[in-house]
Amino acid sequence: MARGLQKIQSQQRAQDKKGKEKGSQLAARKAGIKMSCPECKCEIANYKTLVQHMQAKHPSATIPPEPSS
Ligand SMILES: [Zn+2]
Protein backbone atom coordinates (compact mmCIF):
# COMPACT_ATOMS: atom_id res chain seq x y z
CA MET A 1 0.00 0.00 0.00
CA ALA A 2 1.38 3.32 -1.02
CA ARG A 3 1.01 6.12 1.27
CA GLY A 4 0.50 9.46 -0.32
CA LEU A 5 1.03 12.49 1.69
CA GLN A 6 -0.84 15.33 0.39
CA LYS A 7 0.19 18.68 1.43
CA ILE A 8 -2.58 21.07 1.18
CA GLN A 9 -1.47 24.55 0.77
CA SER A 10 -3.95 27.06 1.71
CA GLN A 11 -3.47 30.53 0.64
CA GLN A 12 -4.61 33.05 3.03
CA ARG A 13 -5.47 36.38 1.73
CA ALA A 14 -5.21 38.98 4.30
CA GLN A 15 -7.19 41.87 3.20
CA ASP A 16 -6.48 44.71 5.49
CA LYS A 17 -8.48 47.38 3.99
CA LYS A 18 -9.77 49.44 6.76
CA GLY A 19 -11.47 52.57 5.76
CA LYS A 20 -10.83 54.84 8.60
CA GLU A 21 -13.18 57.69 8.76
CA LYS A 22 -10.90 60.60 9.01
CA GLY A 23 -11.98 64.11 9.47
CA SER A 24 -15.27 63.92 11.26
CA GLN A 25 -15.25 67.68 11.32
CA LEU A 26 -15.24 67.72 7.57
CA ALA A 27 -18.23 65.42 7.48
CA ALA A 28 -19.92 67.62 10.00
CA ARG A 29 -19.26 70.61 7.81
CA LYS A 30 -20.77 68.77 4.89
CA ALA A 31 -23.82 68.06 7.00
CA GLY A 32 -24.24 71.75 7.44
CA ILE A 33 -22.89 72.24 10.90
CA LYS A 34 -21.68 75.76 11.17
CA MET A 35 -22.10 76.58 14.82
CA SER A 36 -20.43 75.52 17.99
CA CYS A 37 -21.45 75.77 21.59
CA PRO A 38 -19.64 78.69 23.25
CA GLU A 39 -19.49 76.73 26.47
CA CYS A 40 -18.27 73.26 25.48
CA LYS A 41 -17.31 73.92 21.84
CA CYS A 42 -19.65 71.16 20.80
CA GLU A 43 -20.71 71.35 17.19
CA ILE A 44 -24.27 72.44 16.70
CA ALA A 45 -26.22 72.12 13.49
CA ASN A 46 -28.27 75.25 13.80
CA TYR A 47 -29.33 77.99 16.17
CA LYS A 48 -32.47 76.20 17.26
CA THR A 49 -30.43 73.19 18.27
CA LEU A 50 -27.94 75.47 19.97
CA VAL A 51 -30.68 77.00 22.12
CA GLN A 52 -31.95 73.55 23.04
CA HIS A 53 -28.40 72.45 23.81
CA MET A 54 -27.73 75.50 25.96
CA GLN A 55 -30.96 75.02 27.88
CA ALA A 56 -30.24 71.35 28.42
CA LYS A 57 -26.50 71.38 29.06
CA HIS A 58 -25.72 74.86 30.20
CA PRO A 59 -28.86 76.27 31.79
CA SER A 60 -26.90 78.90 33.67
CA ALA A 61 -25.05 80.09 30.61
CA THR A 62 -26.20 82.96 28.46
CA ILE A 63 -27.62 81.89 25.13
CA PRO A 64 -25.93 83.81 22.35
CA PRO A 65 -28.09 85.86 20.01
CA GLU A 66 -29.20 84.31 16.77
CA PRO A 67 -26.65 85.00 14.04
CA SER A 68 -27.92 86.78 11.00
CA SER A 69 -26.90 84.93 7.92
ZN1 LIG B 1 -22.37 73.04 25.16
Side-chain angles (χ1 to χ4, degrees):
M1 285 177 79
R3 251 189 184 177
L5 287 175
Q6 284 185 345
K7 204 175 188 181
I8 300 173
Q9 287 182 343
S10 62
Q11 286 185 343
Q12 284 187 342
R13 285 184 184 176
Q15 285 187 344
D16 237 330
K17 276 190 178 179
K18 276 191 176 178
K20 265 193 175 179
E21 285 185 24
K22 247 187 178 179
S24 60
Q25 288 185 345
L26 196 83
R29 214 188 285 170
K30 275 185 177 179
I33 293 177
K34 49 190 172 183
M35 300 184 75
S36 61
C37 172
E39 292 296 315
C40 67
K41 308 299 178 187
C42 169
E43 288 180 330
I44 311 291
N46 51 53
Y47 181 74
K48 191 180 176 183
T49 309
L50 174 65
V51 173
Q52 289 175 347
H53 170 86
M54 294 292 288
Q55 289 173 344
K57 302 285 183 181
H58 323 290
S60 60
T62 306
I63 299 174
E66 185 174 8
S68 55
S69 62

